[in-house]
Amino acid sequence: AQTVTQSQPEMSVQEAETVTLSCTYDTSESDYYLFWYKQPPSRQMILVIRQEAYKQQNATENRFSVNFQKAAKSFSLKISDSQLGDAAMYFCAHNQGGKLIFGQGTELSVKP
Amino acid sequence: DTGVSQDPRHKITKRGQNVTFRCDPISEHNRLYWYRQTLGQGPEFLTYFQNEAQLEKSRLLSDRFSAERPKGSFSTLEIQRTEQGDSAMYLCASSPLGINTLRVNEQFFGPGTRLTVL
């Protein structure tokens, strides 16, 4: 079965600190893509960062970076210099054919 | 511009009624997806289109659900004889088609339609 597991239902971080959100996945695809999406309260889902599985180099987008461990099927998101606006639900996902398979989400709160 | 738009944003209906939702994708995007998201969960795939062709349907999509994309532009999702278990956020997403396969798999989401079945 194609699954995505986010083992941390909730996380909290102090403003300006660094936090890491965990994600593991299982797929039988040999070539695939991984994504982190952010869903603020009552707002739409937006893409934070993406990783091509055939690339060994970890993706980085400004304060967001990933630690991609293909053999372990792990794809964690690191948020540096956390800001109040980072508070949201974060979903890890991978593609299966044309669709995305999502994890259960991690709710991140940022303390001022 | 225009991102993905969905209408209505909220819908309250009584059990047994039919409802229809509309999604307008980003204009140059060929693929259009429907997902359902219940409270505290990640989105679950329902179905997707490439142009007007419906390429895949989830087993979650019972025979009370039907989706169309008649001209390869906007799409509608209809739920017949609604049940309380249908209460959820219905999300639409779109992605482009092309030789850049990463871009093909990068989906852009709309704000969703929140359905409440009483």
Side-chain angles (χ1 to χ4, degrees):
Chain A
Q2 316 280 343
T3 61
V4 177
T5 302
Q6 294 179 248
S7 58
Q8 305 153 317
E10 298 176 349
M11 289 286 284
S12 181
V13 63
Q14 201 73 31
E15 193 175 7
E17 297 295 311
T18 296
V19 64
T20 298
L21 308 184
S22 301
C23 173
T24 58
Y25 61 93
D26 187 20
T27 179
S28 56
E29 306 276 339
S30 57
D31 190 18
Y32 52 92
Y33 302 93
L34 296 157
F35 304 92
W36 278 97
Y37 279 87
K38 170 185 177 181
Q39 188 175 42
S42 302
R43 295 182 63 185
Q44 66 197 76
M45 195 168 308
I46 58 174
L47 180 66
V48 174
I49 196 166
R50 55 193 177 275
Q51 174 80 41
E52 298 159 90
Y54 65 85
K55 287 188 175 179
Q56 293 186 339
Q57 186 174 5
N58 289 326
T60 299
E61 289 285 343
N62 301 313
R63 297 183 296 109
F64 299 87
S65 62
V66 300
N67 183 3
F68 174 47
Q69 302 289 329
K70 189 172 184 178
K73 293 186 177 177
S74 171
F75 182 59
S76 61
L77 174 69
K78 185 171 80 171
I79 306 174
S80 304
D81 186 24
S82 297
Q83 300 176 359
L84 296 178
D86 295 333
M89 283 290 289
Y90 285 82
F91 293 98
C92 176
H94 75 81
N95 71 303
Q96 180 195 1
K99 60 182 178 279
L100 292 178
I101 308 297
F102 287 88
Q104 309 93 312
T106 296
E107 184 173 7
L108 178 67
S109 58
V110 181
K111 297 179 180 177
Chain B
D1 164 47
T2 175
V4 178
S5 61
Q6 294 187 244
D7 184 69
R9 296 291 304 278
H10 303 273
K11 179 69 177 179
I12 300 174
T13 190
K14 293 182 179 179
R15 188 177 54 186
Q17 298 295 305
N18 298 343
V19 295
T20 300
F21 309 142
R22 175 180 171 125
C23 171
D24 287 87
I26 293 171
S27 59
E28 64 269 23
H29 285 187
N30 302 82
R31 287 190 173 181
L32 186 150
Y33 312 80
W34 286 100
Y35 293 85
R36 180 171 65 189
Q37 184 179 24
T38 53
L39 199 61
Q41 299 295 317
E44 294 176 300
F45 170 78
L46 293 178
T47 188
Y48 89 95
F49 295 83
Q50 183 167 301
N51 300 315
E52 64 275 9
Q54 189 173 20
L55 296 189
E56 187 173 350
K57 292 171 59 174
S58 166
R59 294 174 185 174
L60 293 174
L61 213 64
S62 77
D63 56 6
R64 297 185 297 106
F65 288 70
S66 62
E68 295 182 341
R69 194 183 183 198
K71 297 182 180 179
S73 56
F74 73 91
S75 175
T76 58
L77 178 68
E78 181 183 16
I79 309 174
Q80 296 182 329
R81 306 182 302 281
T82 53
E83 302 173 356
Q84 289 184 326
D86 297 332
S87 295
M89 177 76 84
Y90 290 83
L91 297 172
C92 178
S94 69
S95 68
L97 186 65
I99 59 174
N100 184 328
T101 55
L102 173 59
R103 293 283 293 156
V104 170
N105 285 279
E106 183 179 319
Q107 298 182 16
F108 295 81
F109 283 81
T113 294
R114 181 168 296 283
L115 172 66
T116 301
V117 182
L118 301 176

